[in-house]
Amino acid sequence: MRRGPGIAGLQHAARTKEQFKLTGEEVKKNTLQAMHEQLAAFRANLEEFARKHRMDIRRDPVFRAQFHTMCANIGVDPLASNKSLWASTLGFGDYYYELGVQVVEACLATRAVNGGIMDTASLLKYVNKRRGSLGEPVSEDDVVRAIRKLKVLGGGFDLVTIGGHQYVRSVPGELNLDQNRALEVAQGRGYTSVAEMCTAAGWPVSRAEDVLQALTREGMAWVDDGAPDGVRLYWFPCLGGGLDQATLQN
Amino acid sequence: MQEAIDYLLAFGDQPGMDNPLDQAPATRLAGPSPAAAGPWGTAPTQLPASETPSRFYPPILPCSVPSMVGNNIPYPIGSSSQSPYGAMEPAGIRAPQPQLPISARHLSALRPFSHQYGSAPELVTSAAGSPLVPGSAAGSSGSLDLVVGPPRTIGVAGIVKREQQKTAESGRAVEQAFRDLSALMSSAASMVALAEKFRGVLGADGGPGIAAGAAGPSSEDPLLMDLETQQELIALGISSPVTRETAGARYHIELSRQLADFLATPLQRVGGLMSLPDVYCLFNRARGTELVSPDDLLQAAKLFTRAGVQGLRLHPLSSGVLVIQGPQHSEEQVCSKIAQLTTPPPSPTVKASPVGANVFDERPASGSGHLPPLLGPGLSASDVALALGGISVAIAAEHLLMAEARGIVCRDDGPEGLRFYRNFFRQDRLGSTAVMG
């Protein structure tokens, strides 16, 4: 606006500013009103959806996964709170939190054997066994989501990818690159030796020894001195396969 | 001829006999099959069971209804499970069919319909013969129909059609569900966009408005509405750290009070320190229903002071683990306990070497004037966990690290794991020269 000279100009400027502020308030109020209305409409929409598809969401893991992907796409977290709109209308919050508890228990139970890293397939089997025939079997996607929620608790729960497979880590402390590489090499047969590490990863003997000993210290590797040719083997129960089965059956 | 007569006697009064080429709803067999279960093997009027399949086995006949051919659906429950003949090929009997239509129609005209329900057992058993040859005339399989159904869909083709209908329906339902889902998501997306824009605007306005101390209803209103809007946004699940922490929803405050009440006993048991995943498991197990999400738990734990809870505190440990610390926990107590565990037993003789004592003991006494003090037992995290009354190993490891930071223990990092010994460097006043010598 044109600023006139003198006091009149100042007053004029003040008045225009006042008016702008008022209009701004008005716009804000209107937008807020609109948002409230939209929220109410959305809530109605959601309840309608829940009424029709509540059972579908509970029964069909594919539909559930789709639902979660779409929520993630728009930036909404349906599992954030059990009191949220989503959980109360669709009612699957309890399912995921219960699953979270079972995942934690499964990890704790097997920590002595696998040192805190567990193969997702074994975890799935363990959880399904625990659940028995309570309800529908749990899909891997559900377990992954439950673990992602558990990450907030800060106990080290996280998903790690080693050599293309996914594992659940339940202890704090990252795996460094070398350890990761060692687990990758061992994934083939479930065990490895210093010599194999040297050839597969191209490391000097000291480095391979260091890594394998570090993994043993962490509890992830088990030392086997009974191989026929006397070479010390390092077994990894955490990589899944037959080793975990034996413990799970006990 | 005789078998034709038998057949007619058996099935004559059943509906659908008029039109054997119609498709029979063989699911109607489910009704009478429990009744048919028993006498199946003993059908007096029917040909001997073993002979039936072989007799009626010419695979394809020109009069067979196309939909019945190549049907792989196992025959309905009662029949197939209780059939003494095992699974039957669908393209079974056709042989007597051509003879049926005319005479059957006559017979059905004669016999009253009421024979349907509670038919004589023979009828049922002989009718039971028909599912053994599922490809048989539509009329014959319809003979087991003790429930009146649409005369159109009977027989195996009926099953096929029913299955198709079911799949089509479920497919439609799924499509509908996905359409609903997309519609819901699009409305949610627009909501979220609006909310984001609004939050940005409000945040920008509310801040300077308050900071500048521009009192007046206009600057307070944004804050109030902001709070309410924030509550609504939380209810929607829109993730934003600012929203949740500052809002301090009543739900979370209530939850933190509940949590404090609940944790009194377990914390007592473990000595005052419990990691958050353990708290999560215990709390949810105790609740049974209406579980709390991990985010809710974290928020509740953060709000202890705001909720007026005495003594409990959320505390991040050095390794990143979050623990809830109770009033029973004191670091001095833990350190003194660990120090006690690492002190060597009071036997200074060389011969009686205690467990874990190292090479110091074995040095000949004649060499130097005095024996160096014994090292004492080495502790691992699990030893400490046991000694401190059954706390978790992770917490015990944290205690050891904390004791090490205070100089009470020193670590021994070997190929068999991490062990902690008493800090003999300090306690035995070992200077660098003593260590070298």
Side-chain angles (χ1 to χ4, degrees):
Chain A
M1 298 293 294
R2 220 161 44 91
R3 249 181 288 166
I7 298 187
L10 286 172
Q11 282 176 342
H12 183 68
R15 245 176 310 159
T16 15
K17 210 157 63 160
E18 187 77 32
Q19 271 184 346
F20 273 134
K21 201 158 80 131
L22 283 176
T23 341
E25 296 286 337
E26 194 68 36
V27 168
K28 203 161 44 170
K29 219 184 311 191
N30 286 342
T31 333
L32 190 63
Q33 187 64 28
M35 198 174 99
H36 279 293
E37 281 167 14
Q38 221 170 355
L39 188 63
F42 176 72
R43 200 177 301 210
N45 218 352
L46 178 62
E47 275 161 19
E48 180 66 27
F49 178 81
R51 197 177 51 81
K52 278 201 278 185
H53 299 295
R54 179 190 277 249
M55 279 297 125
D56 290 335
I57 285 215
R58 287 212 198 160
R59 262 191 319 218
D60 184 12
V62 176
F63 190 50
R64 245 192 337 253
Q66 183 92 354
F67 177 78
H68 279 294
T69 336
M70 293 183 94
C71 281
N73 276 343
I74 62 173
V76 174
D77 185 9
L79 293 178
S81 165
N82 212 2
K83 283 283 172 248
S84 72
L85 268 185
W86 305 96
S88 47
T89 48
L90 293 170
F92 58 45
D94 272 8
Y95 173 73
Y96 282 96
Y97 309 143
E98 176 78 28
L99 193 53
V101 172
Q102 285 165 344
V103 164
V104 172
E105 288 180 346
C107 287
L108 278 176
T110 53
R111 190 177 288 177
V113 173
N114 56 33
I117 293 208
M118 197 169 174
D119 182 33
T120 31
S122 319
L123 179 64
L124 200 60
K125 241 181 291 196
Y126 194 96
V127 167
N128 274 326
K129 209 167 67 130
R130 279 294 303 273
R131 286 170 79 87
S133 49
L134 267 185
E136 305 85 18
V138 173
S139 77
E140 189 156 329
D141 185 75
D142 295 333
V143 169
V144 165
R145 285 190 198 282
I147 293 169
R148 283 217 191 103
K149 285 279 102 196
L150 285 176
K151 218 196 298 197
V152 183
L153 296 177
F157 278 92
D158 206 354
L159 289 161
V160 291
T161 319
I162 301 176
H165 293 270
Q166 262 198 337
Y167 299 88
V168 179
R169 192 190 76 222
S170 55
V171 286
E174 303 275 344
L175 283 179
N176 63 32
L177 280 177
D178 278 0
Q179 289 173 351
N180 216 318
R181 186 83 182 89
L183 282 171
E184 268 178 39
V185 170
Q187 256 177 358
R189 292 179 296 169
Y191 65 89
T192 186
S193 62
V194 175
E196 189 187 334
M197 286 295 320
C198 293
T199 40
W203 289 346
V205 171
S206 54
R207 187 170 168 191
E209 267 180 7
D210 249 352
V211 169
L212 289 173
Q213 274 172 16
L215 284 170
T216 315
R217 264 204 300 276
E218 303 267 327
M220 289 178 214
W222 289 62
V223 169
D224 173 21
D225 278 332
D229 48 357
V231 172
R232 174 173 276 200
L233 298 176
Y234 294 83
W235 290 81
F236 294 91
C238 57
L239 293 176
L243 288 171
D244 252 353
Q245 302 287 0
T247 36
L248 288 181
Q249 270 153 24
N250 291 348
Chain B
M1 189 53 200
Q2 179 55 37
E3 51 183 81
I5 294 175
D6 287 345
Y7 205 69
L8 289 175
L9 283 173
F11 312 135
D13 59 346
Q14 307 295 335
M17 276 301 287
D18 333 272
N19 203 349
L21 294 184
D22 257 349
Q23 326 212 329
T27 45
R28 285 183 282 164
L29 293 165
S33 53
W40 266 31
T42 62
T45 54
Q46 185 68 336
L47 299 154
S50 47
E51 282 179 42
T52 325
S54 52
R55 174 172 317 224
F56 294 126
Y57 239 104
I60 309 276
L61 282 180
C63 64
S64 58
V65 180
S67 61
M68 290 198 205
V69 175
N71 168 40
N72 290 328
I73 297 178
Y75 223 63
I77 333 114
S79 38
S80 53
S81 59
Q82 287 146 22
S83 157
Y85 314 111
M88 303 307 294
E89 294 294 328
I93 173 177
R94 289 287 171 210
Q97 192 167 343
Q99 304 159 345
L100 284 175
I102 304 168
S103 19
R105 236 174 257 128
H106 284 297
L107 273 181
S108 62
L110 292 172
R111 301 263 189 114
F113 202 71
S114 59
H115 268 250
Q116 283 274 355
Y117 294 89
S119 321
E122 294 143 38
L123 272 178
V124 176
T125 51
S126 47
S130 67
L132 305 176
V133 285
S136 66
S140 60
S141 43
S143 63
L144 269 193
D145 173 35
L146 296 187
V147 180
V148 179
R152 297 219 163 264
T153 49
I154 50 179
V156 173
I159 310 173
V160 174
K161 200 162 173 191
R162 203 152 315 233
E163 291 293 322
Q164 281 172 352
Q165 271 172 0
K166 243 192 297 193
T167 18
E169 263 170 40
S170 62
R172 263 198 301 270
V174 166
E175 264 177 50
Q176 180 64 25
F178 277 117
R179 254 201 301 266
D180 286 343
L181 182 63
S182 333
L184 187 74
M185 285 305 150
S186 48
S187 71
S190 50
M191 268 277 355
V192 170
L194 195 55
E196 295 275 332
K197 191 175 67 167
F198 208 37
R199 190 171 46 230
V201 167
L202 276 181
D205 272 353
I210 299 170
S218 57
S219 62
E220 276 173 1
D221 272 347
L223 181 58
L224 279 174
M225 282 192 286
D226 202 0
L227 199 64
E228 187 192 310
T229 329
Q230 283 183 349
Q231 306 275 12
E232 285 179 345
L233 291 180
I234 297 172
L236 199 55
I238 296 174
S239 35
S240 150
V242 173
T243 314
R244 230 175 282 142
E245 275 177 18
T246 56
R250 282 197 60 209
Y251 170 62
H252 288 133
I253 297 195
E254 285 301 316
L255 191 63
S256 64
R257 292 206 188 107
Q258 263 182 31
L259 191 62
D261 287 334
F262 170 74
L263 279 180
T265 348
L267 276 182
Q268 188 72 30
R269 196 167 40 90
V270 295
L273 209 64
M274 196 186 276
S275 73
L276 219 50
D278 295 341
V279 170
Y280 173 75
C281 285
L282 280 177
F283 197 44
N284 272 342
R285 280 261 174 261
R287 285 188 84 147
T289 56
E290 289 284 325
L291 306 179
V292 291
S293 73
D295 297 84
D296 282 346
L297 187 71
L298 189 64
Q299 285 308 309
K302 283 186 185 162
L303 290 176
F304 274 144
T305 39
R306 245 165 94 169
V309 172
Q310 306 293 341
L312 292 187
R313 208 163 59 86
L314 184 69
H315 180 60
L317 296 177
S318 50
S319 62
V321 180
L322 290 168
V323 294
I324 293 193
Q325 212 173 25
Q328 310 90 346
H329 173 256
S330 83
E331 294 197 340
E332 286 73 22
Q333 207 179 2
V334 170
C335 289
S336 63
K337 183 79 187 187
I338 290 181
Q340 194 189 0
L341 288 169
T342 49
T343 44
S347 55
T349 62
V350 177
K351 296 184 194 85
S353 44
V355 175
N358 72 347
V359 72
F360 283 161
D361 304 355
E362 288 147 21
R363 252 197 298 174
S366 55
S368 46
H370 68 287
L371 277 176
L374 301 172
L375 186 58
L379 295 178
S380 68
S382 40
D383 298 333
V384 170
L386 278 173
L388 282 180
I391 60 178
S392 73
V393 177
I395 302 282
E398 291 288 335
H399 285 319
L400 279 172
L401 289 174
M402 188 253 311
E404 185 195 15
R406 289 192 174 201
I408 298 175
V409 290
C410 62
R411 68 165 64 189
D412 170 24
D413 201 354
E416 294 183 356
L418 192 60
R419 301 188 85 85
F420 289 83
Y421 293 88
R422 69 177 175 90
N423 191 358
F424 59 91
F425 293 105
R426 180 198 282 183
Q427 288 169 10
D428 301 345
R429 287 193 194 75
L430 288 175
S432 46
T433 50
V435 172
M436 295 299 204

